[in-house]
PDB file of all heavy atoms in Angstrom:
ATOM      1  N   THR A 164      -4.467   5.783  -5.543  1.00 98.00           N
ATOM      2  CA  THR A 164      -4.534   6.367  -4.202  1.00 98.00           C
ATOM      3  C   THR A 164      -3.630   5.732  -3.164  1.00 98.00           C
ATOM      4  O   THR A 164      -3.045   6.328  -2.220  1.00 98.00           O
ATOM      5  CB  THR A 164      -5.977   6.438  -3.618  1.00 98.00           C
ATOM      6  OG1 THR A 164      -6.546   5.103  -3.636  1.00 98.00           O
ATOM      7  CG2 THR A 164      -6.871   7.482  -4.376  1.00 98.00           C
ATOM      8  N   TYR A 165      -3.360   4.457  -3.491  1.00 98.00           N
ATOM      9  CA  TYR A 165      -2.380   3.728  -2.622  1.00 98.00           C
ATOM     10  C   TYR A 165      -1.042   4.227  -2.749  1.00 98.00           C
ATOM     11  O   TYR A 165      -0.337   4.626  -1.795  1.00 98.00           O
ATOM     12  CB  TYR A 165      -2.485   2.210  -2.853  1.00 98.00           C
ATOM     13  CG  TYR A 165      -1.580   1.418  -1.942  1.00 98.00           C
ATOM     14  CD1 TYR A 165      -1.660   1.355  -0.565  1.00 98.00           C
ATOM     15  CD2 TYR A 165      -0.372   0.766  -2.415  1.00 98.00           C
ATOM     16  CE1 TYR A 165      -0.843   0.685   0.324  1.00 98.00           C
ATOM     17  CE2 TYR A 165       0.469   0.103  -1.609  1.00 98.00           C
ATOM     18  CZ  TYR A 165       0.254   0.070  -0.249  1.00 98.00           C
ATOM     19  OH  TYR A 165       1.168  -0.658   0.590  1.00 98.00           O
ATOM     20  N   THR A 166      -0.546   4.223  -3.914  1.00 98.00           N
ATOM     21  CA  THR A 166       0.832   4.682  -4.154  1.00 98.00           C
ATOM     22  C   THR A 166       0.982   6.222  -3.892  1.00 98.00           C
ATOM     23  O   THR A 166       1.980   6.560  -3.436  1.00 98.00           O
ATOM     24  CB  THR A 166       1.223   4.486  -5.726  1.00 98.00           C
ATOM     25  OG1 THR A 166       0.248   4.838  -6.639  1.00 98.00           O
ATOM     26  CG2 THR A 166       1.475   2.934  -5.915  1.00 98.00           C
ATOM     27  N   ALA A 167      -0.104   6.918  -4.107  1.00 98.00           N
ATOM     28  CA  ALA A 167      -0.099   8.382  -3.747  1.00 98.00           C
ATOM     29  C   ALA A 167       0.068   8.546  -2.236  1.00 98.00           C
ATOM     30  O   ALA A 167       0.748   9.430  -1.752  1.00 98.00           O
ATOM     31  CB  ALA A 167      -1.363   9.095  -4.160  1.00 98.00           C
ATOM     32  N   SER A 168      -0.636   7.709  -1.482  1.00 98.00           N
ATOM     33  CA  SER A 168      -0.546   7.759  -0.037  1.00 98.00           C
ATOM     34  C   SER A 168       0.867   7.359   0.492  1.00 98.00           C
ATOM     35  O   SER A 168       1.403   7.994   1.316  1.00 98.00           O
ATOM     36  CB  SER A 168      -1.558   6.807   0.550  1.00 98.00           C
ATOM     37  OG  SER A 168      -2.930   7.173   0.322  1.00 98.00           O
ATOM     38  N   LEU A 169       1.379   6.363  -0.159  1.00 98.00           N
ATOM     39  CA  LEU A 169       2.795   5.888   0.138  1.00 98.00           C
ATOM     40  C   LEU A 169       3.780   7.119   0.069  1.00 98.00           C
ATOM     41  O   LEU A 169       4.603   7.474   0.938  1.00 98.00           O
ATOM     42  CB  LEU A 169       3.311   4.806  -0.551  1.00 98.00           C
ATOM     43  CG  LEU A 169       2.547   3.406  -0.504  1.00 98.00           C
ATOM     44  CD1 LEU A 169       3.315   2.301  -1.151  1.00 98.00           C
ATOM     45  CD2 LEU A 169       2.456   3.063   1.030  1.00 98.00           C
ATOM     46  N   LEU A 170       3.675   7.738  -1.175  1.00 98.00           N
ATOM     47  CA  LEU A 170       4.707   8.809  -1.513  1.00 98.00           C
ATOM     48  C   LEU A 170       4.399  10.041  -0.477  1.00 98.00           C
ATOM     49  O   LEU A 170       5.389  10.619  -0.057  1.00 98.00           O
ATOM     50  CB  LEU A 170       4.569   9.217  -2.964  1.00 98.00           C
ATOM     51  CG  LEU A 170       5.451  10.456  -3.350  1.00 98.00           C
ATOM     52  CD1 LEU A 170       6.883  10.096  -2.995  1.00 98.00           C
ATOM     53  CD2 LEU A 170       5.302  10.707  -4.867  1.00 98.00           C
ATOM     54  N   SER A 171       3.146  10.375  -0.288  1.00 98.00           N
ATOM     55  CA  SER A 171       2.846  11.483   0.540  1.00 98.00           C
ATOM     56  C   SER A 171       3.362  11.257   1.949  1.00 98.00           C
ATOM     57  O   SER A 171       3.863  12.140   2.665  1.00 98.00           O
ATOM     58  CB  SER A 171       1.316  11.810   0.586  1.00 98.00           C
ATOM     59  OG  SER A 171       0.919  12.100  -0.776  1.00 98.00           O
ATOM     60  N   LEU A 172       3.093   9.985   2.464  1.00 98.00           N
ATOM     61  CA  LEU A 172       3.633   9.626   3.839  1.00 98.00           C
ATOM     62  C   LEU A 172       5.045   9.722   3.912  1.00 98.00           C
ATOM     63  O   LEU A 172       5.679  10.209   4.933  1.00 98.00           O
ATOM     64  CB  LEU A 172       2.994   8.367   4.233  1.00 98.00           C
ATOM     65  CG  LEU A 172       1.480   8.382   4.640  1.00 98.00           C
ATOM     66  CD1 LEU A 172       0.842   7.052   4.526  1.00 98.00           C
ATOM     67  CD2 LEU A 172       1.173   9.078   5.831  1.00 98.00           C
ATOM     68  N   TYR A 173       5.756   9.187   2.856  1.00 98.00           N
ATOM     69  CA  TYR A 173       7.268   9.234   2.821  1.00 98.00           C
ATOM     70  C   TYR A 173       7.690  10.730   2.976  1.00 98.00           C
ATOM     71  O   TYR A 173       8.678  11.032   3.721  1.00 98.00           O
ATOM     72  CB  TYR A 173       7.726   8.554   1.589  1.00 98.00           C
ATOM     73  CG  TYR A 173       9.215   8.861   1.368  1.00 98.00           C
ATOM     74  CD1 TYR A 173      10.190   8.202   2.177  1.00 98.00           C
ATOM     75  CD2 TYR A 173       9.613   9.770   0.389  1.00 98.00           C
ATOM     76  CE1 TYR A 173      11.585   8.479   1.929  1.00 98.00           C
ATOM     77  CE2 TYR A 173      11.060  10.078   0.263  1.00 98.00           C
ATOM     78  CZ  TYR A 173      11.965   9.369   1.039  1.00 98.00           C
ATOM     79  OH  TYR A 173      13.285   9.663   0.884  1.00 98.00           O
ATOM     80  N   LEU A 174       7.110  11.575   2.121  1.00 98.00           N
ATOM     81  CA  LEU A 174       7.602  12.871   2.121  1.00 98.00           C
ATOM     82  C   LEU A 174       7.315  13.623   3.468  1.00 98.00           C
ATOM     83  O   LEU A 174       8.017  14.448   3.942  1.00 98.00           O
ATOM     84  CB  LEU A 174       6.914  13.707   1.056  1.00 98.00           C
ATOM     85  CG  LEU A 174       7.301  13.281  -0.404  1.00 98.00           C
ATOM     86  CD1 LEU A 174       6.425  13.984  -1.427  1.00 98.00           C
ATOM     87  CD2 LEU A 174       8.832  13.650  -0.687  1.00 98.00           C
ATOM     88  N   PHE A 175       6.133  13.216   4.082  1.00 98.00           N
ATOM     89  CA  PHE A 175       5.848  13.756   5.482  1.00 98.00           C
ATOM     90  C   PHE A 175       6.898  13.345   6.418  1.00 98.00           C
ATOM     91  O   PHE A 175       7.409  14.179   7.137  1.00 98.00           O
ATOM     92  CB  PHE A 175       4.400  13.332   5.848  1.00 98.00           C
ATOM     93  CG  PHE A 175       4.097  13.665   7.288  1.00 98.00           C
ATOM     94  CD1 PHE A 175       3.907  14.982   7.679  1.00 98.00           C
ATOM     95  CD2 PHE A 175       3.985  12.604   8.294  1.00 98.00           C
ATOM     96  CE1 PHE A 175       3.679  15.293   8.955  1.00 98.00           C
ATOM     97  CE2 PHE A 175       3.744  12.996   9.605  1.00 98.00           C
ATOM     98  CZ  PHE A 175       3.542  14.278   9.870  1.00 98.00           C
ATOM     99  N   VAL A 176       7.181  12.136   6.552  1.00 98.00           N
ATOM    100  CA  VAL A 176       8.183  11.578   7.484  1.00 98.00           C
ATOM    101  C   VAL A 176       9.550  12.233   7.214  1.00 98.00           C
ATOM    102  O   VAL A 176      10.211  12.522   8.210  1.00 98.00           O
ATOM    103  CB  VAL A 176       8.229  10.082   7.425  1.00 98.00           C
ATOM    104  CG1 VAL A 176       9.436   9.563   8.353  1.00 98.00           C
ATOM    105  CG2 VAL A 176       6.953   9.446   7.861  1.00 98.00           C
TER     106      VAL A 176
END
Side-chain angles (χ1 to χ4, degrees):
T164 52
Y165 180 67
T166 50
S168 296
L169 296 188
L170 178 55
S171 298
L172 288 163
Y173 167 74
L174 292 172
F175 171 70
V176 174

